């Protein structure tokens, strides 16, 4: 019995020694190590989760202004893979805010670097899920920044009836949103003027190293509404709220019924005549009372 107790105590001592050695090796008994681990954990917990494009996520939409909308996105070498992913998330968020459909807003994407790639046309996708899946498949093209070439391609290859744009007779708003972080390597002024002249409203979004003068040459007027600048791709997603207000605003045109206007005018004239008549009678009555008071010696 005594031998068994000694064996148990010896085993317990070995186990305790093992535990102490392990924790000492991990630094658990070192106050500095504990503080370092606690700080690292707090930094990790405070860091926002990395957001990726989720095609199934939906958001509120606006139903007031159907558009033919084309995104023209810069995917040159200066745009890092993580930054390009943020641009795609911005596009997906924009799709979520719009009333997408064959009779609503139609969306196309033009991707460019030194070459231009039409990722999909206005006629290709009429629901949000398909659009966001198509956006998630877009890949960067690497070298070069041929912004003028991309604007020309958008004007001649996406804003056409063959590609899904609505006929001019329908007076549908045509909007292009350009996202770039560099200086164009070709001319943008003339082709942008031609695009605007054809009825395309252009928003120029500049990020980080974007050339402000080029943004102004591309954008529609007033420039303060159509030129947007953000310092990093990290905040580009926040532009969704700005474009939601701009593209979803309700423009109400009040048309007066002429019959109602005439009836209101007639009523106003009748009311004015009645008031004048009452006023005249009151003045006449007041004059009569004053005359009687004067004759009776009360005045």
């Amino acid at each position: 019995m005594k031998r068994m107790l000694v064996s148990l105590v010896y085993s317990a001592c070995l186990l305790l020694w093992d535990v102490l050695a392990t924790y000492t090796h991990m630094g658990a008994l070192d106050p500095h190590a504990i503080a370092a681990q606690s700080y690292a954990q707090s930094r990790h917990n405070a860091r926002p989760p990395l957001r990726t494009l989720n095609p199934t996520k939906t958001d509120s939409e606006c139903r007031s202004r159907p558009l033919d909308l084309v995104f023209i996105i810069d995917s040159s070498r200066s745009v890092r893979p993580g930054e390009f992913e943020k641009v795609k998330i911005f596009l997906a968020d924009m799709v979520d805010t719009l009333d997408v459909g064959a009779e609503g807003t139609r969306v196309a994407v033009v991707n460019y670097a030194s070459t231009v790639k039409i990722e999909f046309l206005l006629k290709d996708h009429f629901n949000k899920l398909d659009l966001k899946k198509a956006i998630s498949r877009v890949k960067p093209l690497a070298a070069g920044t041929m912004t003028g070439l991309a604007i020309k391609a958008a004007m001649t290859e996406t804003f056409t009836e063959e590609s899904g744009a609505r006929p001019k007779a329908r007076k549908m708003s045509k909007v292009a949103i350009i996202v770039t972080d560099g200086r164009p390597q070709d001319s943008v002024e003339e082709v942008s003027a031609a695009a605007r002249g054809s009825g395309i409203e252009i928003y120029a979004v500049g990020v980080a190293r974007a050339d402000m003068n080029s943004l102004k040459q591309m954008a529609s007027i007033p420039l303060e509404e159509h030129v947007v600048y953000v310092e990093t791709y990290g905040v580009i997603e926040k532009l969704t709220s700005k474009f939601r207000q701009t593209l979803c605003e309700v423009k109400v045109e009040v048309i007066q019924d002429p019959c109602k206007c005439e009836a209101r005018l007639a009523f106003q004239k009748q009311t004015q005549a009645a008031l004048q008549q009452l006023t005249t009678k009151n003045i006449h009555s007041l004059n009569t009372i004053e005359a009687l008071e004067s004759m009776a010696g009360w005045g």
Side-chain angles (χ1 to χ4, degrees):
M1 185 68 176
K2 186 176 179 181
R3 183 178 297 174
M4 184 180 297
L5 287 172
V6 171
S7 177
L8 286 173
V9 170
Y10 179 73
S11 299
C13 288
L14 286 177
L15 180 61
L16 180 60
W17 178 262
D18 236 9
V19 171
L20 289 174
T22 302
Y23 272 82
T24 303
H25 177 71
M26 292 174 60
L29 299 180
D30 182 356
H32 296 292
I34 293 172
Q37 289 175 7
S38 175
Y39 176 74
Q41 185 64 36
S42 65
R43 284 289 302 272
H44 177 75
N45 292 340
R47 186 182 304 157
L50 181 63
R51 188 179 170 196
T52 56
L53 198 162
N54 180 4
T56 61
K57 176 185 174 294
T58 58
D59 200 352
S60 58
E61 62 184 32
C62 62
R63 299 180 177 276
S64 59
R65 189 183 170 194
L67 311 166
D68 286 338
L69 174 62
V70 177
F71 291 101
I72 305 173
I73 57 173
D74 177 359
S75 65
S76 57
R77 186 172 295 159
S78 60
V79 184
R80 298 179 180 90
E83 295 172 336
F84 191 68
E85 187 67 24
K86 292 182 185 298
V87 174
K88 289 161 60 176
I89 292 172
F90 165 63
L91 266 58
D93 285 348
M94 284 295 302
V95 167
D96 267 333
T97 69
L98 301 168
D99 182 21
V100 172
E103 295 304 316
T105 293
R106 300 181 181 184
V107 178
V109 170
V110 175
N111 185 12
Y112 78 94
S114 57
T115 59
V116 177
K117 181 181 180 183
I118 310 296
E119 296 290 348
F120 52 87
L121 298 169
L122 294 168
K123 66 180 181 181
D124 288 343
H125 305 293
F126 294 143
N127 66 75
K128 294 183 179 184
L129 182 59
D130 288 346
L131 268 173
K132 291 192 288 184
K133 284 181 178 178
I135 290 170
S136 70
R137 292 191 292 266
V138 175
K139 303 296 181 184
L141 299 176
T145 311
M146 302 296 286
T147 310
L149 186 65
I151 296 171
K152 183 178 180 180
M155 179 174 59
T156 60
E157 297 181 44
T158 61
F159 283 112
T160 63
E161 290 184 39
E162 294 78 15
S163 298
R166 267 68 67 94
K168 288 185 178 180
R170 294 190 58 180
K171 298 182 178 179
M172 192 71 62
S173 297
K174 301 185 185 304
V175 177
I177 298 178
I178 303 169
V179 181
T180 180
D181 76 338
R183 182 188 298 273
Q185 294 176 334
D186 58 353
S187 175
V188 297
E189 188 171 8
E190 290 186 9
V191 69
S192 298
R196 296 193 302 267
S198 70
I200 300 171
E201 183 179 10
I202 300 178
Y203 290 87
V205 177
V207 185
R209 303 164 294 277
D211 178 53
M212 185 58 66
N213 186 52
S214 299
L215 297 177
K216 292 178 180 179
Q217 289 177 357
M218 293 186 282
S220 297
I221 53 174
L223 292 179
E224 58 269 19
E225 294 180 10
H226 292 85
V227 175
V228 184
Y229 175 80
V230 291
E231 292 182 355
T232 68
Y233 281 101
V235 296
I236 194 170
E237 298 166 41
K238 296 181 180 179
L239 293 180
T240 307
S241 58
K242 170 195 165 43
F243 283 107
R244 184 199 299 263
Q245 294 173 356
T246 302
L247 302 180
C248 302
E249 64 184 357
V250 181
K251 297 183 179 179
V252 181
E253 184 179 357
V254 179
I255 302 176
Q256 292 281 5
D257 184 345
C259 297
K260 288 183 179 179
C261 289
E262 290 178 6
R264 182 179 296 174
L265 184 59
F267 175 75
Q268 289 174 346
K269 287 181 178 180
Q270 290 173 1
T271 303
Q272 187 176 4
L275 288 172
Q276 285 179 341
Q277 190 175 5
L278 287 171
T279 303
T280 302
K281 285 182 179 181
N282 287 336
I283 291 173
H284 180 69
S285 299
L286 181 61
N287 289 339
T288 302
I289 291 171
E290 288 178 349
L292 290 173
E293 286 178 346
S294 178
M295 291 173 62
W298 297 345

